């Protein structure tokens, strides 16, 4: 297998076409990239900005270049000896009439040859939640019309611009007034589908969806024919040698991930590199029988947070936060409430279906007791899901269920009902459907409750609120990081190591800056007090009180820290307004406390957006000056954190993944802000600059470090694929401020040394502390890392024996990368 030495993620669409990417290949080559990692390239809904709403699995999107453009891209990559990793979407497709399979299902219902391709409950008519009101109200308001579809010439029911294909048998009665309500109602009643109000989807939907997105219908890739039909083009591209790796979107959504991966591996062969998008919780490991190289890397972000979040400072910050917003500060209670919201409202229909299945199997148990037990088990689940197959669980999954039973019993005390429900998760073929649907539901509940609800309610430190993160778990420091990296070297040394992705809550450099707030919590607490007072006039009086409330203000100021420009004058702050206001709206909707995507509270949202807009407005100069002055040392330490986490990613176990543009600096907010187009020409210009590191801007310095590290990995692939991870200890008065480790294979080795917790310690205008700061602090070298070596950033020789003074390594430069010889 050809393991990547690094990957570069490109978001196709929004101006990024195959030809644009071809022009970018020389840059990626120079940067040291071994594989282009492409977002989904298959045909998706018209105007899709991301490609996960696939309408044709077996066609390459014409809007980005189609099959001809892809052939050109493939040839250009091969000419430069770069590989290609494709992001594929096995879990779902677009529930759109642009999807020919879905359109056929709408036309023929359960008789469609594609009826079994989608996870649909055919015990009822297929629900289509696309109406802005009930069907009867829409009918009364004249919102429907029968008309010929101009593409096919066949009859359809038109709802504004949406044309829904009709069952051929119902077309015979269509005549006369095509807007006649009785005729339309009669035709509607004869379809295998029924139109419903979109807000009723959570309760009445008859198909499995991707999380809460009704526009994405679940695929049944557990069926061999569905797998073959939905993977035909992907497998052709692999067999033709165009594709060297696959990234699998949302693996936990599948009915049986293990069986799917076995089938996929058999189809692509042993040489194709495969990683899966999966959240790996603390203490969780990938199932040992999965034939993949690892995950897409969210757990690496979580591991890094141990180094840059000050555990003592977080406790002090927590004290301030609990005084400001006691309800929001209780993370455990907040997670329970968010999960209950998902179970009882957002996934009401899916939960009700589980209860019905359980009652059909356990009819001697009261249905309400079963419902309560199922709800509490879903709340108690500490990870996304178990991986039972054919009604049976592994020993590890059985232990997980027992843990969940224990936690759930603290809430309801009905252990008999809990044991009965848990028995269905390990109860043989008769309970297989219950097991499958429970496993496919527990993941979305965790994801939507934690990442898309609680992470917008609990705002203690936004940098910790990251995909895969667990903000309630104290940072473990250097020792915890070393332990995690040693585990990573054993369990998934070839998995991706990510710091930014298209799904992260904020860019890696914004997160690195926000970590710094934990180092001096009083500075942040007092700053928020001043800023709230300065901006009190921008609050809006609503019936529920002054808006935004203290928790939302705390959140907005932290979000602003993450994107604040280094030079705020000349309107730089005002230039953030559109991005910041859009983020504020999304944040309060995701929090689901006052407003929501399904029921926006216009007055509340207007008040929050008005406040956010005022914070960046040019008229707020007094606030800007205070904010910028307070942030100046935070920003400097944040830049150093950025360089430190970058070097660590390059040298640690795993395959470094560079998200488009983040090799410079990524201060983005949550999507869609983090999916903005990149300036490819500027990135290439920066890389071509050969100034010494002391004269580079921070983005150029970060890019230079990445280029040095990635090209080293290309020259010494075995060292990083198979080499040992060697934690290094430090002694001396500043030992707390450094993390260092080596990678060794035979006589070859590297050493990475980076500072941490450097707020207030840097020399003015520099991204390092001087030799005096490091004083007597040294790194102890084991025998295998002794001998001649040189610094790859400065080309200085470093000839030492058993230890290296930190003053020599970090006294005149931000980070250090040493190589043997």
């Amino acid at each position: 297998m050809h393991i990547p030495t690094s990957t570069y993620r490109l978001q196709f669409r929004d101006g990024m076409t195959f030809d644009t990417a071809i022009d970018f290949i020389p840059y990626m080559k120079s940067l040291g990239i071994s594989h282009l990692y492409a977002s989904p390239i298959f045909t998706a809904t018209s105007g899709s900005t991301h490609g996960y709403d696939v309408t044709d699995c077996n066609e390459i999107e014409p809007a980005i270049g189609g099959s001809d453009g892809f052939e050109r891209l493939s040839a250009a990559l091969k000419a430069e000896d770069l590989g290609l990793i494709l992001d594929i979407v096995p879990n779902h497709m677009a529930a759109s009439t642009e999807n020919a399979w879905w359109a056929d299902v709408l036309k023929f219902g359960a008789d469609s040859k594609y009826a079994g391709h989608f996870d649909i409950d055919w015990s009822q008519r297929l629900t289509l939640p696309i109406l802005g009101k009930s069907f009867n109200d829409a009918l009364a308001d004249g919102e429907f019309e029968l008309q010929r579809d101009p593409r096919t010439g066949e009859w359809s029911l038109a709802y504004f611009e949406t044309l829904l294909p009709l069952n051929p048998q119902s077309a015979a009665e269509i005549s006369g007034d095509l807007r006649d309500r009785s005729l339309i109602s009669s035709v509607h009643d004869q379809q295998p589908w029924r139109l419903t109000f979109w807000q009723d989807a959570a309760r009445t939907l008859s198909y499995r969806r991707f999380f809460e997105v009704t526009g994405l219908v679940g695929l049944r890739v557990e069926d061999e024919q569905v797998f073959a039909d939905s993977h035909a083009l992907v497998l052709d591209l692999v067999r033709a040698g165009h594709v060297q790796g696959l990234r699998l979107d949302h693996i936990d959504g599948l009915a049986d991930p293990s069986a799917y991966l076995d089938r996929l591996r058999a189809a692509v062969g042993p040489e194709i590199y495969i990683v899966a998008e999966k959240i790996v919780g603390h203490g969780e490991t990938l199932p040992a029988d999965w034939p993949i190289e690892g995950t897409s890397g969210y757990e690496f972000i979580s591991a890094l947070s141990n180094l840059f979040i000050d555990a003592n400072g977080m406790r002090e910050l927590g004290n301030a936060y609990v005084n400001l917003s006691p309800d929001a500060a209780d993370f455990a209670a907040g997670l329970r409430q968010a999960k209950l919201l998902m179970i009882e409202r957002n996934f009401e229909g899916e939960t009700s279906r589980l209860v019905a299945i359980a009652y059909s199997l356990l009819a001697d148990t009261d249905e309400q007791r079963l419902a309560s037990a199922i709800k509490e088990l879903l709340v108690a689940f500490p990870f996304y899901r178990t991986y039972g197959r054919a009604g049976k669980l592994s020993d590890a999954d059985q232990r997980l269920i027992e843990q969940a039973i224990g936690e759930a019993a603290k809430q309801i005390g009905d252990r008999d009902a809990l044991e009965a429900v848990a028995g269905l998760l390990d109860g043989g073929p008769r309970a297989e459907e219950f097991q499958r649907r429970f496993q496919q539901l527990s993941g979305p509940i965790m994801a939507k409750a934690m990442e898309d609800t609680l992470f917008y309610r609990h705002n203690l430190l936004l940098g910790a609120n990251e995909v895969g993160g667990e903000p309630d778990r104290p940072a473990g420091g250097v020792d915890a990081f070393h332990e995690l990296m040693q585990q990573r070297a054993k369990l998934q040394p070839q998995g991706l190591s990510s710091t930014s992705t298209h799904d992260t809550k904020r860019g890696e450099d914004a997160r690195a800056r926000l970590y710094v707030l934990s180092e001096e919590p009083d500075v942040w607490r007092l700053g928020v007090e001043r800023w709230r007072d300065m901006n009190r006039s921008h609050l809006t009086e609503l019936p529920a009180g002054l808006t935004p409330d203290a928790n939302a203000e705390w959140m907005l100021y932290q979000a602003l820290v993450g994107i604040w420009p280094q030079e705020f004058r000349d309107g730089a702050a005002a230039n953030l307004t559109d991005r910041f206001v859009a983020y504020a709206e999304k944040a309060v909707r995701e929090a689901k406390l006052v407003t929501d995507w399904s029921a926006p509270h216009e007055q509340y949202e207007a008040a929050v957006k008005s406040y956010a807009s005022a914070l960046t407005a040019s008229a707020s100069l007094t606030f800007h000056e205070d904010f910028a002055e307070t942030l100046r040392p935070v920003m400097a330490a944040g830049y150093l954190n950025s360089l430190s986490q970058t070097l660590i990613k390059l040298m640690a176990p795993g395959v470094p993944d560079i998200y488009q543009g983040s090799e410079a600096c990524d201060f983005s907010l949550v999507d869609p802000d983090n999916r903005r187009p990149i300036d490819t020409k500027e990135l290439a210009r920066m890389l071509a600059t050969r100034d010494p590191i002391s004269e580079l801007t921070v983005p150029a310095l970060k890019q230079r470090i990445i280029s040095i590290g990635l090209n080293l990995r290309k020259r010494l692939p075995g060292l990083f694929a198979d080499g040992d991870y060697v934690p290094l200890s430090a002694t001396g008065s500043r030992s707390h401020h450094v993390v260092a480790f080596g990678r060794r294979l035979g006589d070859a080795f590297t050493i990475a040394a980076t500072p941490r917790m450097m707020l207030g310690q840097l020399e003015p205008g520099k991204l390092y502390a001087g030799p005096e700061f490091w004083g007597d602090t040294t790194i102890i070298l084991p025998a295998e890392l002794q001998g001649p070596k040189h610094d790859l950033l400065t080309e200085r020789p470093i000839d030492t024996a058993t230890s290296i003074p930190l003053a020599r390594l970090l006294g005149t430069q931000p980070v250090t990368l040493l190589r043997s010889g």
Side-chain angles (χ1 to χ4, degrees):
M1 179 183 293
H2 183 60
I3 302 298
T5 60
S6 61
T7 60
Y8 193 98
R9 168 78 177 203
L10 276 184
Q11 292 293 110
F12 284 95
R13 299 173 169 80
D14 274 355
M16 181 57 69
T17 67
F18 293 137
D19 287 334
T20 309
I22 289 170
D23 292 339
F24 201 47
I25 288 175
Y27 167 80
M28 288 189 282
K29 174 91 170 179
S30 296
L31 190 63
I33 297 299
S34 73
H35 287 65
L36 168 59
Y37 163 23
S39 68
I41 64 170
F42 305 103
T43 300
T45 56
S46 298
S48 174
T49 59
H50 49 75
Y52 290 97
D53 44 357
V54 176
T55 57
D56 191 338
C57 305
N58 296 311
E59 180 183 64
I60 296 177
E61 176 62 70
I64 60 175
S67 58
D68 289 343
F70 178 80
E71 291 281 351
R72 292 193 298 274
L73 174 65
S74 177
L77 289 169
K78 289 178 181 178
E80 295 292 345
D81 197 28
L82 268 65
L84 177 62
I85 297 172
L86 285 187
D87 189 345
I88 66 172
V89 192
N91 177 68
H92 53 265
M93 291 184 72
S96 164
T97 54
E98 294 181 53
N99 179 347
W101 296 356
W102 185 249
D104 197 79
V105 168
L106 298 187
K107 191 173 182 180
F108 298 107
D111 294 328
S112 167
K113 62 180 178 179
Y114 300 109
H117 280 52
F118 304 107
D119 195 349
I120 299 170
D121 178 7
W122 286 112
S123 67
Q124 56 180 302
R125 290 167 67 193
L126 174 62
T127 55
L128 301 182
I130 65 172
L131 303 182
K133 58 191 71 169
S134 71
F135 175 79
N136 287 336
D137 287 346
L139 183 67
D141 290 342
E143 295 177 356
F144 301 114
E145 182 179 2
L146 294 163
Q147 62 179 245
R148 297 277 187 180
D149 187 327
R151 299 169 299 175
T152 65
E154 297 179 343
W155 285 108
S156 65
L157 178 60
Y159 176 66
F160 298 107
E161 293 80 16
T162 301
L163 300 181
L164 299 163
L166 301 178
N167 188 301
Q169 295 177 349
S170 66
E173 71 176 69
I174 298 176
S175 62
D177 183 359
L178 300 182
R179 299 183 67 89
D180 181 82
R181 295 171 187 172
S182 296
L183 174 61
I184 290 171
S185 180
S186 174
V187 170
H188 176 260
D189 288 344
Q190 297 176 59
Q191 303 313 309
W193 44 263
R194 62 186 180 92
L195 297 172
T196 63
F197 182 23
W198 69 269
Q199 287 193 338
D200 292 338
R203 180 171 49 86
T204 64
L205 198 67
S206 63
Y207 59 86
R208 180 175 61 84
R209 54 194 166 153
F210 170 71
F211 290 173
E212 298 176 86
V213 185
T214 56
L216 298 174
V217 57
L219 270 177
R220 296 184 62 253
V221 289
E222 62 270 25
D223 181 277
E224 187 172 354
Q225 187 60 54
V226 178
F227 177 92
D229 289 348
S230 59
H231 288 67
L233 178 55
V234 168
L235 297 182
D236 284 346
L237 297 177
V238 168
R239 291 167 187 145
H242 295 306
V243 174
Q244 289 70 48
L246 299 171
R247 182 262 196 188
L248 312 176
D249 182 64
H250 188 43
I251 192 73
D252 276 344
L254 304 185
D256 189 344
S258 183
Y260 168 81
L261 291 171
D262 287 343
R263 181 172 285 149
L264 180 66
R265 176 57 76 188
V268 302
E271 297 303 311
I272 297 299
Y273 174 79
I274 302 176
V275 291
E277 182 195 30
K278 172 172 170 52
I279 304 297
V280 180
H282 182 82
E284 183 182 13
T285 58
L286 286 179
D289 62 346
W290 282 13
I292 62 175
E293 282 54 70
T295 73
S296 55
Y298 297 129
E299 70 280 353
F300 187 77
I301 299 174
S302 181
L304 282 171
S305 68
N306 286 283
L307 296 175
F308 302 110
I309 294 178
D310 187 307
N312 293 326
M314 279 292 280
R315 283 192 288 272
E316 294 182 32
L317 198 65
N319 292 334
Y321 187 56
V322 75
N323 290 330
L324 181 95
S325 185
D327 291 339
D330 190 333
F331 189 89
L335 181 56
R336 173 175 174 78
Q337 291 304 315
K339 280 192 169 185
L340 287 172
L341 178 65
M342 295 301 108
I343 292 164
E344 296 172 353
R345 190 193 75 173
N346 297 50
F347 294 99
E348 179 187 355
E350 290 88 342
T351 305
S352 296
R353 187 173 184 181
L354 271 183
V355 173
I357 296 170
Y359 188 59
S360 72
L361 298 171
L362 302 168
D364 57 340
T365 304
D366 179 73
E367 188 173 13
Q368 186 53 49
R369 289 176 61 203
L370 292 175
S372 181
I374 288 170
K375 176 179 72 176
E376 290 300 338
L377 282 173
L378 287 168
V379 170
F381 245 68
F383 299 148
Y384 269 51
R385 59 169 288 174
T386 53
Y387 296 95
R389 304 180 69 176
K392 291 297 179 184
L393 294 174
S394 67
D395 291 344
D397 281 347
Q398 287 176 335
R399 290 192 294 271
L400 187 63
I401 294 295
E402 284 300 320
Q403 178 184 342
I405 290 173
E407 290 300 314
K410 296 176 183 178
Q411 298 295 330
I412 60 172
D414 190 350
R415 198 169 184 97
D416 288 343
L418 290 169
E419 294 280 4
V421 170
L424 297 179
L425 295 172
D426 192 23
R430 186 164 172 263
E432 187 173 347
E433 183 184 7
F434 181 86
Q435 180 196 68
R436 181 176 72 252
R437 296 203 177 280
F438 187 97
Q439 292 179 150
Q440 287 180 295
L441 179 58
S442 61
I445 285 174
M446 174 65 90
K448 297 301 293 184
M450 179 86 88
E451 298 165 24
D452 292 339
T453 303
L454 187 57
F455 281 3
Y456 294 92
R457 294 179 174 184
H458 178 86
N459 300 308
L460 173 58
L461 184 66
L462 294 187
N465 291 6
E466 193 49 83
V467 180
E470 296 179 316
D472 58 327
R473 185 172 296 279
V478 175
D479 290 342
F481 177 78
H482 284 324
E483 182 179 352
L484 289 169
M485 290 304 100
Q486 288 173 309
Q487 292 175 3
R488 186 170 180 80
K490 292 178 181 178
L491 299 176
Q492 55 162 319
Q494 299 163 354
L496 293 184
S497 297
S498 299
T499 42
S500 291
T501 77
H502 58 289
D503 281 329
T504 43
K505 299 300 181 185
R506 49 194 37 82
E508 60 193 58
D509 301 290
R511 191 186 316 117
R513 183 186 290 176
L514 286 165
Y515 290 154
V516 178
L517 300 182
S518 69
E519 297 184 48
E520 289 287 351
D522 279 346
V523 171
W524 176 251
R525 175 182 60 82
L526 294 171
V528 171
E529 290 178 1
R530 288 196 310 277
W531 305 327
R532 290 182 66 201
D533 186 62
M534 287 180 184
N535 293 303
R536 191 167 301 278
S537 63
H538 301 307
L539 296 172
T540 301
E541 182 72 55
L542 295 179
L546 288 174
T547 302
D549 66 7
N551 186 38
E553 286 182 284
W554 177 284
M555 175 269 294
L556 288 171
Y557 288 121
Q558 278 202 38
L560 194 57
V561 167
I563 63 172
W564 191 255
Q566 187 167 9
E567 296 295 334
F568 74 90
R569 294 177 179 83
D570 300 322
N575 291 338
L576 301 175
T577 299
D578 289 346
R579 295 171 56 210
F580 189 55
V581 169
Y583 169 81
E585 179 183 72
K586 178 166 184 171
V588 295
R589 286 189 177 184
E590 294 284 25
K592 306 173 185 68
L593 291 170
V594 180
T595 189
D596 199 340
W597 295 104
S598 60
H601 188 307
E602 293 183 5
Q603 283 184 309
Y604 174 80
E605 289 185 2
V608 171
K609 290 192 288 185
S610 174
Y611 188 87
S613 179
L615 296 187
T616 57
S618 298
S620 297
L621 183 59
T622 302
F623 162 65
H624 290 174
E625 289 177 342
D626 187 292
F627 196 71
E629 182 62 28
T630 304
L631 255 61
R632 188 168 288 112
V634 171
M635 293 172 72
Y639 281 130
L640 187 52
N641 279 354
S642 296
L643 300 178
S644 293
Q645 75 176 4
T646 295
L647 180 60
I648 291 167
K649 178 172 78 169
L650 298 172
M651 296 293 108
V655 176
D657 172 40
I658 310 300
Y659 182 66
Q660 60 174 33
S662 66
E663 69 271 30
C665 276
D666 182 2
F667 291 102
S668 60
L669 295 159
V670 71
D671 67 279
D673 191 61
N674 62 10
R675 302 179 185 183
R676 288 172 292 154
I678 58 174
D679 189 338
T680 56
K681 292 182 179 179
E682 175 60 16
L683 289 169
R685 185 203 63 77
M686 283 173 48
L687 187 61
T689 301
R690 304 318 305 167
D691 295 339
I693 64 168
S694 59
E695 298 178 13
L696 296 176
T697 63
V698 174
L701 177 56
K702 183 183 175 188
Q703 185 192 50
R704 176 78 61 82
I705 292 170
I706 288 173
S707 179
I708 290 170
L710 295 187
N711 279 290
L712 175 64
R713 292 182 71 105
K714 288 183 78 171
R715 292 194 299 272
L716 301 172
L719 172 63
F720 296 98
D722 304 314
D724 295 334
Y725 178 87
V726 185
L728 298 178
S729 59
T731 63
S733 58
R734 302 296 189 180
S735 59
H736 173 70
H737 289 277
V738 64
V739 55
F741 59 88
R743 302 298 307 277
R744 183 186 69 87
L745 183 66
D747 294 332
F749 66 81
T750 62
I751 295 173
T754 70
R756 58 188 290 270
M757 307 296 175
M758 297 296 286
L759 179 62
Q761 308 295 348
L762 305 182
E763 292 193 356
K766 305 291 185 183
L767 286 182
Y768 55 81
E772 299 79 11
F773 170 82
W774 293 107
D776 63 344
T777 310
T778 61
I779 294 175
I780 307 303
L781 296 181
E784 61 268 27
L785 300 185
Q786 294 176 14
K789 53 189 74 71
H790 64 280
D791 185 337
L792 292 179
L793 274 62
T794 63
E795 295 301 328
R796 293 183 304 156
I798 306 285
D799 192 1
T800 57
T802 59
S803 65
I804 312 179
L806 262 296
R808 188 172 182 185
L809 292 184
L810 299 175
T812 58
Q813 63 193 76
V815 298
T816 297
L817 172 58
L818 305 181
R819 178 186 170 184
S820 56

